[in-house]
Amino acid sequence: MEEKTKYSNPYLIGFLLGLLIVLTIYLNGNGVGASGAFKNVVVGTLNEIAPETSSQLQYIKEFNASHTESPWKGWLVFQVIGVVIGGFVSGLVSNRLKFKFEKGKNVKSKIRLITALIGGMLFGIGSQFGRGCTSGAGLDGMAVFSVAGFLVTMMIFGTGFAIAPLFKKLWL
Amino acid sequence: MGPIFPEANFNLVLALIIGFIFGVLLEQAGFSSNKKLVGIFYGYDFTVWRVFFTAAITAMVGVLTLSHFNLLDISLIYISPMYLWSVVAGGIIMGFGFILGGYCPGTSLCAAAIGKLDAMVFILGVALGVFVFIVGYPMFEGIYLGSFMGAPQIFDLLNISMGLFTFIIVIFAFLSYWGVGILERKINNGESYELTSKSGFFKIFALATVVAFVALFMSPYKQTLLADFNSADFGKDANINLISSDDIAVRLLKNDNSLQFIDLRLPNEFAKLALPYALNATPEEFFLPRVSDFINQKQKITVIYGGDEKLAKKVAVLAVKIGFNPNKILVLKGGFNEFMKDIINFEMPKEQPNSSILKTTYLFRHEYNGRIKEILENSKPKQIVLPKSKRALGGCG
């Protein structure tokens, strides 16, 4: 194994994360999230760089019609900026800042590059169908006892468990 | 009562702060490392399970507790809508994304923040994926918007109380922590990422059991109150001020604007004839802004009425328990049926009234019932105003 780095107690982190979600729900009736911010950023970018072409797209039309404010000003966008800063500060404090290409020990860099990109794309597409990702749909959904939240969580992790053996070489 | 900013893109600085804490927690848990994340799928590291499940049950207990003490109205928070096949497809696609990519969107941001280059590629991928979805949307629309089932909650689906569900899931979570610890040791030849000592774990488990039992006996305040409301004895001994049909009739004639009306009858009865500018509402709606905004407007006194006075009295008690000012709530004596009988459809009795007051009343009714009916007819709502919901918008799709 490589460097041993000390992480916090998972139950404590989970407890604090749960409290944070309750606080967010108490404040705005909504929880934390990530994938929604990606959508805002993509729509915002398309509106900037190719306003004519993108305004022809049905999805963008509907998005712009249902959102009065600029997608850049979405609360999730700011929250995600916070996540990046928070992650950075935490890494700084715990001495984990380092440029690194993290991959399984027998995996070529090219393969890791491709799988990271495809994995990200699948998450991007899947989070649209799921109306949120692991945090926004799964965790927040479970917090408010929503059936969709429980279902999407079970589908994400269930699929992961089911197909993990097929992709063993990527990680072990 | 929460949610405090249901409609808003609320304070963006606050969003930044909440995101910051979220980021610190994810990073401190170790979720800035893909090996730590995929560990759950290969059984060598169940940290994801521990953090995720603990966060979920903490949040569930928190939401239940807040709503029990009437601090949070769960009918106003965002419950993710259920488009069955879209959720299933999305979950499966994300499952593949997780195994291949090694991150999920939130954790990839943390990983990128501490310098993981593969996470940066993953982030690019997520943006590309969203782009693909946007461009291909006409193709996906069918499944995306199909099989809509509302926004069901799991305890309703299982037909158990919110408290019982919380109880079960908290106990299940802790049993699973014990189970994954055993699995982890087996797969890692004796080593485990369980950072809690055995005695520490049992202490937490004991505490969680207590919490679970407390949760078992909690239910959302609104639900508790409505359950009470539906019992026969509710509000039996409460002191509610009544107003008579004649009193209202006089005020209507005088164009007195100090009263406003809430009509509890069925919409079709309401549409036929009702008191001027009355709001047609159900008892459940007294929890919603539609009714509360109405009652709280200006300095008016609200007269609640139904067909008879029984339901209206109960609703008045309910309204006071919800927190409306008891001095500003009246109940129409005898309900709208009596108002119809005594005023609108008044017929002079054959026998002579035995007191002069009664005689004056009869004369008044006889004289003005046509005029009152006119007032009621003329004030009928031109169109039915649909209730405006202030449920929190959003979600993360």
Side-chain angles (χ1 to χ4, degrees), chain B residues 99-395:
Chain B
I99 292 281
L100 283 170
Y103 298 103
C104 60
T107 51
S108 71
L109 292 163
C110 277
I114 67 158
K116 295 283 165 69
L117 300 165
D118 54 318
M120 297 176 196
V121 177
F122 182 92
I123 289 172
L124 188 71
V126 177
L128 269 174
V130 174
F131 177 72
V132 168
F133 182 86
I134 289 175
V135 174
Y137 183 66
M139 210 163 64
F140 305 136
E141 196 183 5
I143 179 167
Y144 182 71
L145 296 176
S147 57
F148 179 58
M149 301 166 73
Q153 287 185 294
I154 189 127
F155 45 84
D156 286 333
L157 186 79
L158 301 173
N159 206 10
I160 56 178
S161 75
M162 198 172 168
L164 178 58
F165 181 80
T166 311
F167 172 83
I168 293 169
I169 197 112
V170 170
I171 299 294
F172 175 75
F174 277 84
L175 291 177
S176 82
Y177 299 151
W178 179 64
V180 296
I182 295 176
L183 255 162
E184 226 170 44
R185 262 181 218 99
K186 214 171 222 173
I187 288 162
N188 296 334
N189 303 321
E191 254 192 86
S192 171
Y193 282 94
E194 182 63 80
L195 296 178
T196 317
S197 67
K198 219 170 202 167
S199 65
F201 182 81
F202 281 114
K203 271 179 211 157
I204 307 176
F205 186 44
L207 183 70
T209 311
V210 174
V211 170
F213 269 103
V214 173
L216 187 55
F217 295 101
M218 288 202 283
S219 66
Y221 180 73
K222 183 173 160 181
Q223 220 171 303
T224 317
L225 210 52
L226 276 174
D228 279 356
F229 175 77
N230 288 324
S231 72
D233 293 345
F234 183 79
K236 221 176 174 183
D237 309 316
N239 206 4
I240 293 294
N241 297 317
L242 298 174
I243 183 167
S244 73
S245 297
D246 291 303
D247 196 346
I248 287 184
V250 171
R251 285 165 188 263
L252 291 181
L253 284 172
K254 284 199 212 153
N255 263 329
D256 179 343
N257 281 327
S258 63
L259 297 184
Q260 58 179 9
F261 308 99
I262 293 184
D263 189 323
L264 300 170
R265 296 172 304 152
L266 296 170
N268 59 339
E269 296 174 295
F270 172 75
K272 262 184 233 155
L273 198 64
L275 291 179
Y277 308 106
L279 179 78
N280 190 211
T282 61
E284 284 80 9
E285 285 181 300
F286 276 70
F287 292 94
L288 301 179
R290 178 169 179 254
V291 168
S292 58
D293 290 352
F294 182 80
I295 295 181
N296 290 332
Q297 67 187 334
K298 295 177 203 145
Q299 298 300 313
K300 293 198 178 186
I301 294 193
T302 304
V303 178
I304 302 174
Y305 68 92
D308 57 22
E309 66 178 41
K310 205 170 149 231
L311 178 67
K313 271 183 168 170
K314 281 176 86 174
V315 171
V317 177
L318 179 73
V320 171
K321 290 213 175 183
I322 291 173
F324 295 109
N325 183 350
N327 296 322
K328 293 182 69 182
I329 288 182
L330 295 172
V331 166
L332 174 60
K333 191 165 168 287
F336 196 70
N337 295 343
E338 200 169 303
F339 187 85
M340 286 298 285
K341 186 170 127 286
D342 285 353
I343 311 285
I344 307 286
N345 300 327
F346 180 72
E347 276 172 35
M348 203 54 122
K350 300 232 161 38
E351 68 270 26
Q352 275 294 315
N354 50 16
S355 78
S356 61
I357 298 180
L358 211 52
K359 199 175 169 187
T360 325
T361 309
Y362 285 174
L363 284 173
F364 163 76
R365 291 176 181 176
H366 183 70
E367 174 83 22
Y368 291 106
N369 62 352
R371 175 75 196 111
I372 304 269
K373 190 173 182 193
E374 224 169 79
I375 294 175
L376 262 52
E377 292 281 1
N378 291 342
S379 66
K380 266 191 187 174
K382 298 274 182 295
Q383 65 187 65
I384 292 161
V385 184
L386 287 172
K388 187 171 148 253
S389 152
K390 277 196 193 166
R391 184 184 272 275
L393 304 166

Side-chain angles (χ1 to χ4, degrees), chain A residues 32-39 76 79-81 83-84 87 116-128 130-138 152 156-157, chain B residues 22-23 26-27 31-32 37 52 90-91 93-99 101-113 116 118-130 396-397:
Chain A
V32 294
S35 58
F38 281 90
K39 184 173 69 188
L76 279 171
Q79 195 227 266
V80 151
I81 297 170
V83 171
V84 175
L117 190 72
I118 294 176
M121 281 183 73
L122 290 174
F123 241 114
I125 297 171
S127 64
Q128 297 310 304
R131 289 173 168 78
C133 59
T134 336
S135 29
V152 81
I156 294 174
F157 287 100
Chain B
F22 189 33
L26 289 179
E27 210 287 324
F31 292 174
S32 51
L37 289 164
F52 196 86
I93 298 171
M94 285 190 267
F96 273 91
F98 214 150
I99 292 281
Y103 298 103
C104 60
T107 51
S108 71
L109 292 163
C110 277
K116 295 283 165 69
D118 54 318
M120 297 176 196
V121 177
F122 182 92
I123 289 172
L124 188 71
V126 177
L128 269 174
V130 174
C396 197

Side-chain angles (χ1 to χ4, degrees), chain A residues 87-155:
Chain A
F88 178 80
V89 170
S90 164
L92 184 70
V93 171
S94 296
N95 208 11
R96 282 194 280 266
L97 293 185
K98 193 180 162 197
F99 281 114
K100 195 181 158 199
F101 204 72
E102 198 182 20
K103 58 188 179 61
K105 54 181 182 288
N106 299 319
V107 180
K108 289 195 182 96
S109 290
K110 204 167 100 190
I111 298 287
R112 175 68 192 128
L113 190 83
I114 294 168
T115 55
L117 190 72
I118 294 176
M121 281 183 73
L122 290 174
F123 241 114
I125 297 171
S127 64
Q128 297 310 304
F129 280 113
R131 289 173 168 78
C133 59
T134 336
S135 29
L139 202 47
D140 297 345
M142 286 167 75
V144 297
F145 300 81
S146 100
V147 176
F150 279 90
L151 183 63
V152 81
T153 305
M154 289 195 297
M155 293 315 298

